[in-house]
Amino acid sequence: VQRETPRSTLISPLSGREIMEVLGLEPGPAVGEAKAWLLEQVLDGRLAPGDTEGGRRMLRERGE
């Protein structure tokens, strides 16, 4: 998958710091899990690469 997918789609649209801000988290495994989940959303086509606002919205919805 990584060879066939453009590199821009293999990066989470939000950094760990941004994820912590959105979810009110401290550094830890939950941040990495959220980042991996966002990357999965990009790879599955549910989130456009670089769509930070969409990523924030999806994290908030997932957290509710």
Side-chain angles (χ1 to χ4, degrees), residues 13-61:
L14 296 177
S15 69
R17 183 175 304 277
E18 291 169 313
I19 291 168
M20 289 187 293
E21 288 173 7
V22 170
L23 298 178
L25 296 174
E26 295 294 322
V31 177
E33 291 168 10
K35 194 169 185 176
W37 181 81
L38 282 173
L39 177 57
E40 184 179 317
Q41 302 314 300
V42 171
L43 292 172
D44 289 345
R46 291 188 285 269
L47 181 62
D51 183 359
T52 57
E53 283 308 310
R56 289 173 187 274
R57 181 180 34 73
M58 289 179 84
L59 279 178
R60 282 192 219 94
E61 289 172 359

Side-chain angles (χ1 to χ4, degrees), residues 1-22:
V1 169
Q2 290 182 353
R3 280 184 242 157
E4 296 175 11
T5 305
R7 176 141 172 76
S8 64
T9 62
L10 297 177
I11 299 171
S12 172
L14 296 177
S15 69
R17 183 175 304 277
E18 291 169 313
I19 291 168
M20 289 187 293
E21 288 173 7
V22 170

